[in-house]
Amino acid sequence: MLFNIGLGVVFTLGIVFTMFMLMDSWGGASWVFGSAVSIIVGGLALMRERQKMLTAVGGLAVTAVGVAVSLIAGDDLPQEPAPITALALSVLVGSSIRALPRGPAAGIAAGGVMVTGGAWFDGWSGVTSLATMGMIAALVMGSVLRGLHRNRHANASAPQGSWTNPPRS
């Protein structure tokens, strides 16, 4: 719970900071689209514990649309995924790898790599570098936490019954 509160604060501050920076550098309403994508993907990342598969697929879809729209718009819109969108997508992918069965986890991981790779069609920038580093961190940390979780449960002793909670046959 505290992790989600901290993550929500980071998302909020990051979105507001990015919004003001885009207002200052790009001007006009250039900040609206990226902020909307960041808010949606960030919200999905904060709700990931309720429905891991659905939130991860939703985050991938929204981010993919954001990347596609920014590629099509060219220089009219800032490059996607924005830093907060990339962070939220990394949280969704890492959490999915850690908790979902292998097949769906692999699909989410592949989708995250494809969406991040799609951003590179617009060329190298700080945005693409941050998104790539975030995705690499999600893939590594999700896998490590999955392995630790599996090892912890493999080494745990079988639950013992007691007079208040007898074993069921």
Side-chain angles (χ1 to χ4, degrees):
M1 174 115 172
L2 285 176
F3 180 76
N4 277 347
I5 291 170
L7 199 57
V9 169
V10 169
F11 288 164
T12 302
L13 293 175
I15 291 168
V16 170
F17 176 76
T18 303
M19 183 175 60
F20 283 119
M21 294 303 289
L22 288 174
M23 284 179 184
D24 187 44
S25 62
W26 285 65
S30 63
W31 57 273
V32 174
F33 180 72
S35 296
V37 171
S38 293
I39 289 168
I40 293 168
V41 179
L44 289 169
L46 292 174
M47 296 188 309
R48 72 192 176 284
E49 293 299 325
R50 296 185 184 157
Q51 190 60 254
K52 287 207 186 291
M53 182 71 166
L54 188 60
T55 54
V57 169
L60 282 169
V62 172
T63 306
V65 167
V67 169
V69 168
S70 73
L71 285 171
I72 292 168
D75 290 336
D76 293 335
L77 282 177
Q79 191 176 16
E80 287 291 329
I84 296 301
T85 305
L87 174 62
L89 184 63
S90 297
V91 167
L92 287 168
V93 170
S95 178
S96 296
I97 292 171
R98 179 186 58 84
L100 290 176
R102 284 185 184 168
I108 297 294
V113 169
M114 288 172 41
V115 168
T116 304
W120 281 90
F121 283 112
D122 205 16
W124 179 87
S125 70
V127 171
T128 53
S129 296
L130 283 173
T132 302
M133 287 187 290
M135 189 54 57
I136 291 169
L139 296 172
V140 170
M141 289 304 297
S143 299
V144 166
L145 291 174
R146 181 183 187 95
L148 289 174
H149 181 74
R150 184 179 59 234
N151 288 342
R152 180 177 29 186
H153 288 293
N155 295 332
S157 59
Q160 301 295 319
S162 69
W163 65 274
T164 58
N165 187 18
R168 296 183 185 180
S169 306

